Amino acid sequence: KDLPGRFARSVVRRLDPDPRAETNRIAGNWSFESDLPAAEKTGKSSIVPGWRIAEGDRGTIRVTEDHAQHPGKSALLLAATGDDDICRASYEADIILDAGREYLLEGYAVNKGAFAAGLCVEWLRPSKAGAVEVGRSYSDTARQAGEAVDIVQTIVAPPSASQARVSCFVIGPSGSAVFDRISLAAPPAAPSGAAGGALSPAGPELSRLRAGTPEDPLSVLLLREGTFQ
């Protein structure tokens, strides 16, 4: 829980180079370490395997080493090239949803001059004309040049949605941002009898430590993926 006048800082230590398939629904190139075959690189520097500029948007994507998150060495740079309000880079495979409606959206974003930068999930249902959007969820955003955000948010799919499309986005003409380690997963189940009390069923919290006085409280969360807040 955020406290008035305070801030939360995430200290991330991830040991696995890739999440388990049953954890991250983005099955390939979630951390942008995959590369194009050498024969395909000529004249295609803006192509990133598994990702594409969303239909109707104008922009470019490429792999960069800037702001790559440990233990990886690469990240995604998305740059808008038009006057549109938003430019998205979408994971090319729509994700089939489970019966559960809650999902954990994670990732890292650094604003490089956009009005805002973050992640979004378009909730879809099938139709004869193709997938129809029935809702959209946005993450917290980096709103100033040089600002970085570690995204760890629980989002809820609309009842009619059966698929999800995950995207990075920048808002504002000619804006750009760097993204890394993007994940969409079902929230972890709350373990019974965990130290620190019961977990919220909607969140990734593993345990909670409290300190300070009621007038000046301090709360520290240990999250399941190794993040302290």
Side-chain angles (χ1 to χ4, degrees):
K1 182 178 180 180
D2 291 334
L3 302 174
R6 295 184 177 272
F7 64 90
R9 180 183 299 272
S10 293
V11 181
V12 180
R13 182 173 181 264
R14 300 182 176 94
L15 300 179
D16 297 331
D18 288 298
R20 298 185 304 275
E22 65 269 23
T23 301
N24 191 355
R25 302 305 174 86
I26 299 176
N29 210 18
W30 70 286
S31 58
F32 309 105
E33 303 301 318
S34 299
D35 201 1
L36 287 173
E40 296 184 24
K41 289 184 177 180
T42 304
K44 294 185 178 182
S45 60
S46 65
I47 295 179
V48 178
W51 296 81
R52 56 179 174 79
I53 296 295
E55 184 176 355
D57 294 359
R58 291 183 290 175
T60 62
I61 53 175
R62 66 177 177 87
V63 170
T64 179
E65 294 182 358
D66 291 342
H67 302 287
Q69 297 299 288
H70 178 80
K73 298 180 179 180
S74 299
L76 174 73
L77 174 63
L78 168 63
T81 58
D83 297 327
D84 304 316
D85 292 335
I86 188 170
C87 179
R88 296 159 295 165
S90 300
Y91 182 60
E92 63 182 6
D94 292 340
I95 297 165
I96 305 299
L97 301 181
D98 296 329
R101 295 290 90 185
E102 291 183 346
Y103 289 86
L104 186 64
L105 179 64
E106 297 182 80
Y108 178 79
V110 183
N111 191 323
K112 305 288 283 185
F115 179 76
L119 304 178
C120 71
V121 177
E122 299 166 65
W123 305 108
L124 311 171
R125 64 169 176 81
S127 73
K128 292 182 179 180
V132 175
E133 184 178 326
V134 296
R136 189 177 294 188
S137 297
Y138 287 93
S139 74
D140 293 335
T141 57
R143 294 181 174 270
Q144 298 180 5
E147 180 183 359
V149 291
D150 278 311
I151 297 163
V152 182
Q153 288 180 237
T154 299
I155 55 178
V156 180
S160 60
S162 59
Q163 295 176 299
R165 182 175 298 157
V166 179
S167 301
C168 317
F169 72 87
V170 294
I171 295 177
S174 303
S176 63
V178 173
F179 302 89
D180 203 2
R181 303 187 68 82
I182 299 171
S183 172
L184 183 70
S192 59
L199 306 188
S200 167
E205 183 180 323
L206 180 60
S207 62
R208 180 189 296 268
L209 303 176
R210 299 182 187 275
T213 65
E215 294 76 20
D216 187 24
L218 174 64
S219 180
V220 179
L221 305 184
L222 170 60
L223 304 185
R224 179 170 290 275
E225 77 282 2
T227 300
F228 290 88
Q229 290 187 342

